[in-house]
Amino acid sequence: MEPVYRPVIHAAKTLFFLQGTRLTITGEEHVPRVGGAVMAINHTSYLDFMYAGLPAWPHRRYVRFMAKKSIFAHRVSGPLMRGMGHIPVDRHRGGQAFKDAIHALKGGEIVGVFPEATMSRSFELKEFKPGAVKMAQVAGVPVLPTTIWGGQRVWTKDLPKHMGRANIPVMIAVGEPLEIGRRENVEEATARVKAAMQAQLDVQQAAYPTLTGEDLRWVPARLGGTAPTPEAAHEADESDMKRTRDKFTG
């Protein structure tokens, strides 16, 4: 039974309906019916955790997301996060979160991870942290490369959000499970996961409706958009890291 998670999923689907979100979901068949898996997800929107859970829903699987600890301390989001079995991450002491994730994976859960750690302002894949691959190795489970495109137009950093009826297309893809060898080089395996996700993103971006004018701000500079370059985005990220408080702590 999922007395908290199940209603939240229905609430999310209702929200998407009211927003007119045009969802395209592919690769649902790659989500295992049973057993653990690490779902590695790119990160461009505050709603990515809601989008990423959708491909697992047809099999009635629930994704346990790893999220920053401050969200769990918030009086509204905290009870929901704990009720859904998500995993708090203390960025200064990540050992406990890693142990909690391994416990969940070995218990047959799907654990959602954002390998970039923070949202990408450039909408390009950032450098991947090795945690997702390490968890898959230790727990003996596959990695599900999962990519989302279009969600940044709904709600992302530094740009206006469109939470009303905006009829925005959002694409979600789950690739074939990647088996990570027990003794495989972690850096090489991480690069393999990133390459698989980049290939998926390339397909989604090519199929996405063409954006023009002001809407080019949602498009990476590499593709002719006006989003920050990865270098400019990195500078903004560095500034963020100097903060001691965020929207959930202050």
Side-chain angles (χ1 to χ4, degrees):
M1 294 291 293
E2 294 284 345
V4 176
Y5 212 147
R6 192 181 184 96
V8 167
I9 290 176
H10 287 297
K13 293 177 75 174
T14 299
L15 171 66
F16 298 148
F17 174 78
L18 294 175
Q19 289 176 328
T21 304
R22 306 202 298 274
L23 292 166
T24 301
I25 303 174
T26 58
E28 294 163 309
E29 70 276 11
H30 296 314
V31 179
R33 270 59 169 181
V34 295
V38 175
M39 178 178 276
I41 313 151
N42 71 311
H43 199 12
T44 63
S45 168
Y46 286 109
L47 303 184
D48 285 338
F49 70 98
M50 297 171 69
Y51 298 133
L54 294 177
W57 180 239
H59 309 311
R60 296 304 183 262
R61 300 299 310 270
Y62 298 87
V63 182
R64 314 300 177 179
F65 289 95
M66 302 186 75
K68 59 184 179 180
K69 188 177 179 180
S70 61
I71 300 176
F72 291 78
H74 191 270
R75 62 184 179 84
V76 176
S77 61
L80 289 173
M81 296 295 282
R82 289 188 290 273
M84 288 185 281
H86 297 319
I87 302 169
V89 178
D90 185 332
R91 290 178 178 171
H92 302 290
R93 291 182 300 221
Q96 186 59 51
F98 187 87
K99 292 177 183 177
D100 292 342
I102 295 300
H103 179 75
L105 290 167
K106 289 186 175 181
E109 300 282 5
I110 298 174
V111 173
V113 180
F114 297 101
E116 299 162 282
T118 57
M119 202 177 302
S120 173
R121 285 178 161 97
S122 69
F123 310 132
E124 300 276 19
L125 292 182
K126 299 167 61 176
E127 180 182 353
F128 276 24
K129 306 296 183 184
V133 162
K134 289 182 179 179
M135 286 189 290
Q137 281 185 320
V138 173
V141 300
V143 173
L144 303 177
T146 304
T147 50
I148 303 165
W149 189 247
Q152 73 273 20
R153 296 178 62 196
V154 180
W155 189 11
T156 191
K157 284 184 176 180
D158 305 330
L159 291 172
K161 59 184 176 182
H162 298 104
M163 295 295 288
R165 191 167 185 84
N167 302 312
I168 293 172
V170 175
M171 298 177 169
I172 308 161
V174 180
E176 293 187 10
L178 300 176
E179 300 292 338
I180 309 297
R182 187 78 176 184
R183 298 186 179 181
E184 186 175 352
N185 180 278
V186 171
E187 290 184 2
E188 292 177 0
T190 299
R192 186 157 61 90
V193 171
K194 184 177 181 181
M197 292 173 64
Q198 184 64 63
Q200 287 178 199
L201 266 179
D202 289 343
V203 171
Q204 291 171 306
Q205 290 167 343
Y208 200 80
T210 301
L211 301 179
T212 59
E214 275 196 351
D215 287 341
L216 285 172
R217 57 189 169 180
W218 314 111
V219 179
R222 173 179 57 87
L223 298 178
T226 57
T229 63
E231 293 76 19
H234 178 72
E235 289 184 11
D237 290 342
E238 288 291 303
S239 177
D240 281 355
M241 292 298 290
K242 295 176 183 178
R243 295 185 305 176
T244 58
R245 302 181 72 82
D246 60 26
K247 66 174 63 180
F248 294 101
T249 57

